[in-house]
Amino acid sequence: MATKVALIIEYDGTRLVGSQYQSRGATVQSELEAAIEKLTGEKLRVLLASRTDTGVSAQGQVACFRGALKLPPERVMGGLNRFLPDDIAVKAVYRIPDSLDVRREAVSREYVYRIWNSPVPSPLNERFRFRVAVPLDEQAMDAAAKTLAGTHDLAAFGSAGASGKSTVRTVYEAGVNREGLELSFRMVASSFLTHQIRNTVGALIKVGQGRMSPEEFGALLEVKKPGSAGPAAPGKGLCLVKINYLRDLGDYNENI
């Protein structure tokens, strides 16, 4: 009998070309499927709950697969981590109901984009941050970011190549915070358009530099042309922090 398993995974996206299969380079999906095959002997397809781009990292990505798995969750976690490369790790394993769709039933996704705001490079800080040399006004950026809260047509913040699907999304939280030289843009939303956060950060940097006012940023919500915001900030500053469900995935594990 097949068992459906959910994984909570963390990864450093530096060398990865994204979460989903690509025609070139390693992805989170390809590395996970290779590790699962080594552990179980089965060629199984992995589904990821949220798509991440080239260079984007994650602390709490959710993946799932279904197979004839007889190992307890703790042995699955240990076995997969033994076969996975050093930049991907399984942090938790849960058995879940076969009916649970980890992508469609997620109620929100949380992302953070980190900026290192200094004219001086910092090799220890810049691996997962985008450095902006000129001073940024985080208060103006925060005021602009907060205009995104609510349900809006976010077409302007999506990829210019996207078409044919609804671009309306609900943003639960959006804001910018500074701690020393680091600025963090946090956004929690139902789901995201392709390149939405990176394009949003690109526009917010303009606000921080005084090249765009918070009001002009807010006016982008009225622009229905994809790709109007931006330019897209690099993927390395972006991290998928958590995917939220109506119930903790561990609760399902206990009841099966």
Side-chain angles (χ1 to χ4, degrees):
M1 180 177 178
T3 299
K4 194 170 186 179
V5 176
L7 313 173
I8 309 298
I9 56 176
E10 179 175 316
Y11 51 87
D12 171 357
T14 303
R15 76 171 180 94
L16 303 170
V17 296
S19 57
Q20 313 290 116
Y21 266 128
Q22 302 289 332
S23 58
R24 57 174 183 81
T27 64
V28 179
Q29 184 180 16
S30 65
E31 296 285 18
L32 279 173
E33 290 182 0
I36 290 168
E37 184 176 2
K38 290 176 182 176
L39 177 65
T40 67
E42 295 184 89
K43 286 183 176 291
L44 302 175
R45 180 52 51 94
V46 167
L47 172 70
L48 294 164
S50 190
R51 182 186 295 269
T52 57
D53 298 331
T54 298
V56 176
S57 299
Q59 290 177 312
Q61 173 72 278
V62 176
C64 78
F65 66 92
R66 186 189 289 105
L69 198 64
K70 299 180 180 179
L71 298 172
E74 62 273 14
R75 289 191 62 189
V76 174
M77 181 170 68
L80 290 178
N81 284 332
R82 186 167 66 251
F83 294 120
L84 284 167
D86 292 342
D87 51 5
I88 304 175
V90 177
K91 298 163 64 175
V93 176
Y94 303 115
R95 291 174 297 170
I96 60 173
D98 195 64
S99 60
L100 179 61
D101 187 321
V102 298
R103 184 174 65 86
R104 296 185 183 277
E105 294 185 40
V107 294
S108 67
R109 294 153 172 87
E110 303 180 26
Y111 281 87
V112 170
Y113 194 100
R114 295 181 174 90
I115 297 170
W116 191 248
N117 190 201
S118 172
V120 181
S122 175
L124 294 180
N125 284 292
E126 290 183 37
R127 182 178 179 89
F128 302 109
R129 296 161 180 84
F130 172 44
R131 185 166 65 90
V132 177
V134 300
L136 295 173
D137 181 346
E138 71 275 10
Q139 293 182 346
M141 294 170 71
D142 183 57
K146 282 180 165 47
T147 65
L148 297 174
T151 300
H152 304 285
D153 186 338
L154 298 175
F157 296 92
S159 171
S163 62
K165 295 183 179 179
S166 173
T167 51
V168 174
R169 297 291 186 275
T170 298
V171 176
Y172 301 110
E173 295 180 48
V176 175
N177 180 62
R178 177 189 284 273
E179 290 188 13
L181 296 176
E182 180 176 291
L183 275 71
S184 298
F185 167 61
R186 178 173 178 267
M187 179 177 275
V188 182
S190 56
S191 60
F192 292 85
L193 304 175
T194 302
H195 302 150
Q196 177 184 325
I197 297 179
R198 291 169 55 200
N199 286 333
T200 302
V201 170
L204 286 173
I205 289 172
K206 290 180 182 178
V207 174
Q209 294 172 336
R211 298 162 52 204
M212 176 186 287
S213 70
E215 293 74 23
E216 289 171 325
F217 177 93
L220 288 169
L221 291 172
E222 305 304 319
V223 179
K224 309 305 181 188
K225 181 181 178 181
S228 299
K236 72 173 186 174
L238 184 56
C239 182
L240 169 59
V241 176
K242 188 179 181 182
I243 299 175
N244 299 301
Y245 298 88
L246 290 176
R247 296 171 58 191
D248 187 275
L249 291 177
D251 293 342
Y252 292 103
N253 186 63
E254 294 172 359
N255 294 326
I256 292 179

